[in-house]
Amino acid sequence: MDRRNNRRDAEGSSVITANRLLDGRIVWLAADGEWSPFIRHAHVYSNADIEDALKQQIASAQDNELVGVYGVQVTVTASGPVPITSRERIRAGGPSVHPDFTPEWQEHPAVSPA
Amino acid sequence: MSHAPHSPLPVGHYAYDEVDRTFLKQRVAQFRDQVERRISGALTEEEFKPLRLMNGLYLQLHAYMLRVAIPYGILNSGQMRALAQIAQRYDRDYGHFTTRQNIQFNWIRLEDTPDILALLADADMHAIQTSGNCIRNVTADQFAGAAADEVLDPRVHAEILRQWSTLHPEFTFLPRKFKIAISGSPQDRVAARFHDIGLMARNGENGRPVFEVYVGGGLGRTPIVGVKLRDDLPEEDLIAYLEAILRVYNEFGRRDNIYKARIKILVQALGVDEFRDRVNAEFVAMDRARYRLDERIVAAIRARFGVPDFDPAGQAAEKLAQQRKADRAFDFWVRTNTHAHKQPGYVSVTISCKPAGGIPGDVTSSQMNLLADLADQLSFGELRITHLQNVVLGHVRQDKLYGLWQTLEQNGLGTANVGFITDIVACPGLDYCALANARSIPIAQKLSERFASPDLQREIGPLRLNISGCINACGHHHAGHIGILGVDKRGEEAFQITLGGAADQDTVSIGQIIGAAMSEDETVDAIARIIDTYLARRTAGEQFIETCRRLGTAPFKDAAYATA
């Protein structure tokens, strides 16, 4: 994971993200400890508190079948956390050039493996 | 095991035999085991990463990405259908042709990868040498073996270099990746001087090939034009001399800093004379007999390539001339999308993968299947992927062009824009790539729509526009007459414009940044004003790059940053 993506301000809020080992898809750590494909489910930490949670999640990444665990700074809005960088907004929403390839698409694959 | 290839031989590329196929099967089994150990936790991600990269598997922004090798850009129709099958069964029904003549799939699951590699192996394909610090897929002229201006078909030597470099024990862990391109035409269509090694082949005095050898070129964060090491390297010394270059690089190339690890940095640090001296010292110390590329070896490799069985030209040219006269749109397409063939009655056809507003290089599985069918019907089952992200049918009879064009038109592949401003090269950018700073595709789509008018494109004339989403320059922005580089400004995308780049042999140059980065829409408008300036100030018959060189960047910069 690129170090620049894990940078946070001293103040502010962040969420924890990773890629799933088996399929590489992006997931976000929810308040109940589950990993959701939807950033709206992500638990929001204050930047002052996130380091311990991150350490714990990085340590258990293999058990949770995850890779590349890191924190993403967000702005908290009425519709949920929104990353402050364009990179992370694209991660959260899917590629901008394929509007149908949102995280929801993953739940209903168009083509099943033969 | 038999060394006899199955017949008939595939036109344009090397025919695998049982030895090759057994190797691929073993390789798939090896990777299947590695994937199982990764999933079980027996391998950590740190341990697994170099193993997956050796099989073309990256972890990108949204998913795993698999990059499949297309050696020297040549595919047969069955291989294209295998790629379509992967797109449909394991991805989201499309693939992306890359600037290294490969294809990549963006939505791959790790657990599916061994099955995908097995499917590829069944089609004599793999994903080796598409990633990692090894000698990457050797690229070649997309009109190889067909072009009227060609003196030597470079694909046989590209195949020899592939066989030499695959699994070469000394060169599996180089300081960084290593890219070789080879051309057999005096017209450089491979950007030879922007490669770690660029080879320009021609016939020598004894009838055997000789090679001009360029070294230390490249794009990325330190763009450098390669320098000539040899003017007349004999064919028999090709392997020995390249091995000497690689040994010097392997020994003295930097491994402490990823940004200074490419051979271009070593050549610059030593100076070309010192670098050449070290290569020559290595070369003369080698067991030359062992490395000698014997004529019989070359002949044996050549014998594994199928060759087209051309029909007599007949009235093909006359029929084409009549059809062009009768249909203006077809005539324009022939002008832009065909290339002169050495065989009377035939042409090479470049099929544009850049429709107006489309994603450069993206092709759906149904389009892949169509391309395979067309290759079977019209071009001896052979297809070529270009480093400019288009597809070539190498050998099409002139009297078959009209029907081909009509079919392409009906399937979104008939755009008459090859070499024009909308024939845009673009990397996947921040929509997919974990390294990118900015999205390359949306700005390419906006520019493609802005300049979609065929009349406007023809008025502007030849112009290469390349877009990279970060300084790694996979979109070759430095080599574009107009280049766009995506940058990160405090977490937001922005774009710099470069002008004056070119990859042509005699006039190769690196594009220069003209000023501060702008937003996506500002950049599109700025490029429109740059084009307006060119149209207003060009002399009769002057192409964009020529006007750019004559005037310098100043008037274009003024136009780009002019406010309404």
Side-chain angles (χ1 to χ4, degrees):
Chain A
M1 191 264 307
D2 193 330
R3 190 178 301 162
R4 69 188 165 154
N5 301 322
N6 197 31
R7 284 191 302 227
R8 281 172 297 283
D9 298 334
E11 297 182 352
S13 304
S14 291
V15 297
I16 297 178
T17 186
N19 290 78
R20 288 198 301 234
L21 171 64
L22 291 182
D23 60 9
R25 303 294 189 270
I26 294 158
V27 285
W28 309 88
L29 181 62
D32 61 2
E34 296 296 312
W35 290 85
S36 167
F38 309 110
I39 193 172
R40 63 179 180 269
H41 296 158
H43 177 67
V44 178
Y45 296 83
S46 78
N47 285 354
D49 298 335
I50 197 171
E51 293 304 329
D52 285 346
L54 263 177
K55 275 182 197 162
Q56 187 184 339
Q57 292 302 328
I58 289 168
S60 57
Q62 177 63 39
D63 291 341
N64 292 325
E65 297 191 330
L66 298 169
V67 288
V69 178
Y70 64 99
V72 171
Q73 184 155 342
V74 295
T75 303
V76 178
T77 71
S79 56
V82 176
I84 63 167
T85 67
S86 50
R87 179 187 198 274
E88 294 302 328
R89 288 195 293 274
I90 291 168
R91 279 185 82 247
S96 64
V97 293
H98 279 290
D100 45 335
F101 291 167
T102 62
E104 280 80 2
W105 194 94
Q106 299 171 28
E107 293 183 333
H108 306 287
V111 180
S112 303
Chain B
M1 278 179 286
S2 166
H3 274 280
H6 297 173
S7 59
L9 296 173
V11 166
H13 72 93
Y14 178 80
Y16 276 20
D17 61 20
E18 288 310 308
V19 175
D20 300 301
R21 294 190 175 110
T22 300
F23 163 71
L24 282 190
K25 282 180 183 163
Q26 290 169 343
R27 178 80 173 216
V28 172
Q30 181 188 52
F31 190 59
R32 192 180 295 281
D33 176 63
Q34 290 163 350
V35 169
E36 284 170 6
R37 285 191 286 149
R38 173 67 190 106
I39 292 172
S40 75
L43 289 175
T44 65
E45 184 60 20
E46 193 178 16
E47 292 166 332
F48 180 62
K49 185 177 176 183
L51 303 175
R52 66 171 161 78
L53 291 179
M54 285 178 185
N55 291 282
L57 189 65
Y58 291 73
L59 182 54
Q60 288 287 30
L61 214 54
H62 305 285
Y64 291 95
M65 178 272 279
L66 182 67
R67 185 178 295 150
V68 177
I70 303 176
Y72 32 97
I74 306 286
L75 287 170
N76 62 47
S77 55
Q79 292 172 326
M80 185 65 101
R81 289 189 187 97
L83 296 175
Q85 202 177 341
I86 291 167
Q88 193 176 33
R89 186 186 294 179
Y90 296 106
D91 204 87
R92 297 190 178 180
D93 210 24
Y94 68 102
H96 175 77
F97 293 126
T98 77
T99 51
R100 223 156 167 79
Q101 299 182 298
N102 292 319
I103 187 168
Q104 56 195 44
F105 297 100
N106 291 308
W107 300 95
I108 296 297
R109 299 159 59 93
L110 174 63
E111 52 193 340
D112 291 337
T113 313
D115 291 340
I116 297 171
L117 293 183
L119 193 156
L120 287 170
D122 287 342
D124 296 344
M125 298 182 82
H126 55 75
I128 300 167
Q129 292 177 280
T130 63
S131 178
N133 294 335
C134 63
I135 298 172
R136 299 286 188 90
N137 188 36
V138 176
T139 52
D141 183 352
Q142 68 267 32
F143 300 124
D149 62 6
E150 181 176 271
V151 293
L152 185 73
D153 185 344
R155 293 174 298 183
V156 172
H157 295 89
E159 174 61 26
I160 290 168
L161 294 177
R162 187 188 72 80
Q163 295 192 17
W164 160 71
S165 58
T166 300
L167 302 187
H168 193 306
E170 279 187 59
F171 306 141
T172 303
F173 297 99
L174 291 167
R176 278 290 276 141
K177 57 188 171 184
F178 200 92
K179 298 179 179 177
I180 300 173
I182 181 167
S183 172
S185 162
Q187 187 69 38
D188 180 3
R189 286 183 285 265
V190 301
R193 296 184 71 182
F194 282 132
H195 278 76
D196 296 294
I197 292 178
L199 298 168
M200 300 291 289
R202 65 177 192 276
N203 284 318
E205 290 176 3
N206 63 358
R208 290 193 69 188
V210 294
F211 299 88
E212 279 176 53
V213 181
Y214 294 91
V215 69
L219 298 169
R221 80 180 52 226
T222 313
I224 293 175
V225 175
V227 294
K228 192 187 282 189
L229 275 197
R230 288 287 296 265
D231 192 43
D232 53 357
L233 180 69
E235 181 186 52
E236 65 180 27
D237 288 331
L238 179 65
I239 298 299
Y241 195 73
L242 263 56
E243 181 119 355
I245 293 172
L246 265 296
R247 282 185 182 178
V248 171
Y249 170 52
N250 211 12
E251 182 172 1
F252 299 106
R254 289 181 62 171
R255 293 172 188 271
D256 62 322
N257 183 338
I258 192 174
Y259 303 122
K260 296 184 183 299
R262 296 291 290 268
I263 193 173
K264 60 190 174 186
I265 304 296
L266 178 64
V267 174
Q268 295 297 311
L270 293 177
V272 64
D273 292 335
E274 171 67 16
F275 183 82
R276 185 187 287 112
D277 288 346
R278 292 194 189 194
V279 170
N280 288 340
E282 187 68 42
F283 183 60
V284 298
M286 291 170 73
D287 178 356
R288 299 270 291 284
R290 179 166 178 246
Y291 285 93
R292 184 167 178 270
L293 183 55
D294 193 282
E295 225 171 340
R296 287 169 298 181
I297 296 173
V298 179
I301 300 288
R302 183 173 285 114
R304 301 276 280 272
F305 280 69
V307 292
D309 183 15
F310 293 115
D311 288 332
Q315 300 300 306
E318 289 75 8
K319 188 172 178 187
L320 172 62
Q322 288 167 8
Q323 289 166 328
R324 291 180 68 170
K325 207 170 174 183
D327 192 324
R328 185 170 174 263
F330 172 60
D331 179 57
F332 285 136
W333 178 80
V334 174
R335 278 193 219 176
T336 53
N337 291 42
T338 63
H339 192 267
H341 201 289
K342 60 174 73 169
Q343 179 72 18
Y346 283 79
V347 292
S348 297
V349 174
T350 302
I351 298 169
S352 172
C353 300
K354 327 278 180 67
I359 298 177
D362 272 17
V363 178
T364 65
S365 68
S366 60
Q367 287 176 324
M368 290 181 213
N369 283 322
L370 173 71
L371 290 167
D373 292 345
L374 292 171
D376 279 338
Q377 294 160 18
L378 300 171
S379 195
F380 305 95
E382 183 215 72
L383 297 132
R384 299 129 182 263
I385 311 306
T386 81
H387 78 281
L388 302 174
Q389 300 178 292
N390 290 316
V391 175
V392 166
L393 294 178
H395 320 284
V396 181
R397 262 183 74 98
Q398 290 176 332
D399 53 1
K400 301 290 185 188
L401 279 177
Y402 195 57
L404 169 62
W405 172 71
Q406 289 174 315
T407 303
L408 293 172
E409 278 274 282
Q410 290 160 10
N411 290 277
L413 292 166
T415 312
N417 64 347
V418 171
F420 285 160
I421 189 169
T422 63
D423 184 11
I424 296 169
V425 167
C427 69
L430 189 54
D431 276 303
Y432 296 102
C433 178
L435 298 176
N437 288 321
R439 292 171 299 157
S440 305
I441 297 171
I443 194 170
Q445 292 175 302
K446 285 183 180 176
L447 286 163
S448 171
E449 284 168 352
R450 181 77 165 249
F451 294 101
S453 159
D455 289 337
L456 176 59
Q457 291 189 64
R458 282 191 289 275
E459 185 187 354
I460 296 167
L463 196 154
R464 171 121 306 288
L465 198 163
N466 294 355
I467 305 172
S468 302
C470 76
I471 196 65
N472 293 307
C474 296
H476 298 177
H477 64 279
H478 299 110
H481 302 160
I482 298 174
I484 299 176
L485 166 64
V487 297
D488 179 323
K489 284 175 84 171
R490 294 177 296 280
E492 295 301 322
E493 301 167 283
F495 300 88
Q496 291 177 331
I497 296 173
T498 62
L499 288 179
D504 313 309
Q505 176 74 359
D506 297 327
T507 53
V508 60
S509 53
I510 294 166
Q512 300 300 307
I513 295 171
I514 62 168
M518 294 176 269
S519 72
E520 183 179 285
D521 286 338
E522 287 169 343
T523 305
V524 172
D525 289 341
I527 287 173
R529 291 194 293 271
I530 286 171
I531 296 300
D532 288 343
T533 303
Y534 157 64
L535 294 175
R537 299 197 58 177
R538 67 180 171 184
T539 59
E542 195 175 50
Q543 296 185 5
F544 178 84
I545 186 65
E546 295 164 342
T547 307
C548 204
R549 286 179 177 140
R550 177 171 59 81
L551 297 177
T553 58
F556 298 106
K557 178 178 180 178
D558 290 345
Y561 292 95
T563 49

